[in-house]
Amino acid sequence: MNASRLAAEHVPDAEKAFFVADLSEVYRQHQRWRACLPEIQPFYAVKCNPDPYIIRLLASQGAGFDCASNNEIAMVLDVGGIDPSNIIFANPCKAVSFVRNAAKKGVDLMTFDNADELYKIARAHPGARCVVRILTDDSKSLCAFGIKFGAPLVTVPGLLAKAKELNLDVVGVSFHVGSGCYDPSVYMDAIMRARGVFDMGADAGYAFKLLDVGGGFEDARFEHAASVLTQAIDRYFPERGDIKIIAEPGRFYVSKAFRLAANIIARRAPLTAAPSQAPTDASDDQPKVMYYINDGVYGAFNCILFDHQVVQPYVLSMGGSFHVSDAEATHTSSVWGPTCDSIDCVSPKTVLPSGLQVGDWLGFDNMGAYTVCAASQFNGFEVSNVIYTTGGVVGSSEVRKALVGFAAEVDERAVFSST
Ligand SMILES: *Cc1c(COP(=O)(O)O)cnc(C)c1O
């Protein structure tokens, strides 16, 4: 509303696109996690959305962090009050200087999936607690990682022998079933393989104490995934004694927490095909109008290209009104980003009210995972700002208390408002 009013008063940049981050959403996801997977400590995958308030909130709730680079480690430690033992350096292929930096920062837990990594760790961080990342079935996911990471089981005994020879401590096993996993039954097979690797560890003279079940959890299938995972762990690790179980969820925690508001900055008619080329029956269903908004695939909507997402715009405000009647006439439209590249298409075909004009606002839900973090400033368009809220009635005061209570200083610039 504020943005609309300022834009109407011609305040420069008032129409800039912005995210609204509802931190209570992250808090609720954590409660869901605790209810369904009480035995598993989540190590939030920072790459998914390295927002400092998300990191702080999750730290206050006892989560650890999965980092993949020096900068991610710095982002977590810069929050203050987070012990480096609550970080896993979960990138199996690290620059040797990064391994050295981890040692300096007290980050000991790190993954590997190849022999060269063991040589690097032996050289740069001999006291590390190593975790072997194994290959599992990731074919049931939006983003598979197996082509790049994960040791095939046949290579594991050799790797463990090499680790022993180098005097390294290997403490456990990790895997990742792929990000955006849509068939949680793959956890059963993954845990079975992890069990096999625990036995290989014993054969190599190690007593593994850590099982890291990775990420891949999706909001919509979370309860199902948690139940498959719990059954798998009960089946393959019936007497787990002092084995610590962790996970590396990213998307699950943040996907729903961010929404994006974008302003319609331009509108034009699509190029129509010559009548002779036009298919006779499909004409009604082709976009009648092209809307151009002020964030696109080089910015927040990079998730369309990198994360295989399909986004659905809805009307936030039209002609200054926040209420759009269901009776409003609609037409098929396309929605485009602001850059001069034609790949910058947000939605090739969607139904929107015919009355939408330049200056109106579109909204997009589920914009928290793999969005802001990978946005570029291509063509001079800035990354959209984030406005934080601690949510409405449910959870708001708990979230504020958790944020204020955790870490020494509270950032004075942070203005938490209730929606
Ligand atoms: C990306 C990544 C994650 C997070 O995956 P989600 O599907 O977002 O839960 C966890 N662990 C590792 C090693 C990753 O690369």
Side-chain angles (χ1 to χ4, degrees):
M1 287 171 95
N2 199 29
S4 273
R5 185 177 53 77
L6 295 175
E9 290 167 12
H10 306 294
V11 172
D13 274 349
E15 82 288 355
K16 252 190 92 168
F18 60 92
F19 290 97
V20 175
D22 178 355
L23 296 168
S24 71
E25 194 62 56
V26 178
Y27 186 83
R28 273 193 294 280
Q29 293 297 74
H30 186 62
Q31 288 176 323
R32 246 172 114 188
W33 183 281
R34 279 218 285 240
C36 295
L37 295 170
E39 229 185 305
I40 304 183
Q41 185 190 2
F43 277 54
Y44 171 64
V46 173
K47 79 162 185 283
C48 185
N49 186 333
D51 183 280
Y53 292 104
I54 292 174
I55 295 174
R56 181 189 294 213
L57 179 61
L58 288 174
S60 78
Q61 302 304 299
F65 298 92
D66 155 6
C67 297
S69 63
N70 283 351
N71 278 339
E72 285 189 356
I73 290 173
M75 281 176 208
V76 170
L77 295 179
D78 282 353
V79 166
I82 298 173
D83 194 276
S85 67
N86 274 322
I87 294 176
I88 179 167
F89 200 166
N91 184 341
C93 298
K94 302 169 278 299
V96 69
S97 65
F98 280 43
V99 178
R100 200 167 287 122
N101 177 69
K104 203 171 105 196
K105 295 282 156 42
V107 174
D108 298 335
L109 201 55
M110 54 182 65
T111 60
F112 72 95
D113 66 0
N114 65 88
D116 279 342
E117 198 70 10
L118 290 171
Y119 284 110
K120 281 186 283 176
I121 297 172
R123 207 153 30 111
H125 193 359
R129 294 158 57 231
C130 306
V131 177
V132 59
R133 162 101 170 250
I134 59 166
L135 186 63
T136 54
D137 178 10
D138 60 4
S139 62
K140 312 281 165 43
S141 63
L142 285 181
C143 309
F145 299 130
I147 195 173
K148 192 166 176 190
F149 300 116
L153 290 205
V154 292
T155 68
V156 173
L159 288 172
L160 295 179
K162 180 55 75 187
K164 245 311 161 228
E165 183 190 316
L166 293 169
N167 255 320
L168 286 171
D169 191 13
V170 183
V171 298
V173 180
S174 78
F175 59 79
H176 197 304
V177 296
S179 191
C181 175
Y182 51 79
D183 180 0
S185 69
V186 294
Y187 282 110
M188 190 58 81
D189 179 68
I191 294 291
M192 182 189 74
R193 292 187 195 210
R195 169 76 256 172
V197 175
F198 265 67
D199 299 337
M200 292 175 192
D203 290 344
Y206 289 111
F208 286 174
K209 288 284 181 309
L210 184 78
L211 173 62
D212 175 354
V213 301
F217 304 92
E218 276 220 305
D219 179 68
R221 296 174 188 83
F222 178 67
E223 277 72 15
H224 179 44
S227 117
V228 174
L229 189 52
T230 306
Q231 284 172 42
I233 292 170
D234 284 342
R235 179 184 300 178
Y236 293 106
F237 293 86
E239 279 147 43
R240 37 195 179 273
D242 53 355
I243 293 174
K244 177 173 172 168
I245 310 177
I246 69 170
E248 302 165 354
R251 190 188 301 280
F252 167 73
Y253 271 100
V254 296
S255 173
K256 282 196 304 185
F258 279 48
R259 291 158 195 220
L260 183 81
N263 192 257
I264 296 175
I265 53 169
R267 180 178 67 157
R268 49 161 275 188
L271 201 63
T272 45
S276 61
Q277 294 169 314
T280 44
D281 54 350
S283 58
D284 247 17
D285 156 54
Q286 291 311 305
K288 301 280 186 304
V289 57
M290 301 166 74
Y291 292 107
Y292 296 66
I293 59 175
N294 52 0
D295 204 339
V297 305
Y298 285 94
F301 294 107
N302 71 80
C303 59
I304 293 169
L305 301 182
F306 295 149
D307 195 31
H308 316 286
Q309 296 294 312
V310 175
V311 299
Q312 195 55 56
Y314 54 86
V315 178
L316 274 178
S317 86
M318 192 166 103
S321 162
F322 290 89
H323 179 76
V324 181
S325 151
D326 287 343
E328 196 72 43
T330 58
H331 53 200
T332 308
S333 322
S334 55
V335 179
W336 302 77
T339 68
C340 295
D341 189 347
S342 63
I343 200 179
D344 194 359
C345 179
V346 171
S347 179
K349 210 190 240 186
T350 184
V351 175
L352 287 167
S354 322
L356 264 188
Q357 293 192 21
V358 170
D360 290 337
W361 290 83
L362 294 180
F364 297 85
D365 288 345
N366 304 320
M367 289 293 290
Y370 306 109
T371 50
V372 214
C373 49
S376 80
Q377 301 201 38
F378 175 60
N379 241 183
F381 293 99
E382 289 171 11
V383 178
S384 299
N385 294 327
V386 183
I387 294 171
Y388 296 91
T389 93
T390 50
V393 196
V394 186
S396 179
S397 63
E398 286 98 320
V399 175
R400 282 159 191 257
K401 242 183 271 161
L403 282 166
V404 173
F406 188 80
E409 323 103 74
V410 177
D411 190 336
E412 294 295 324
R413 287 165 303 173
V415 179
F416 294 110
S417 57
S418 295
T419 49

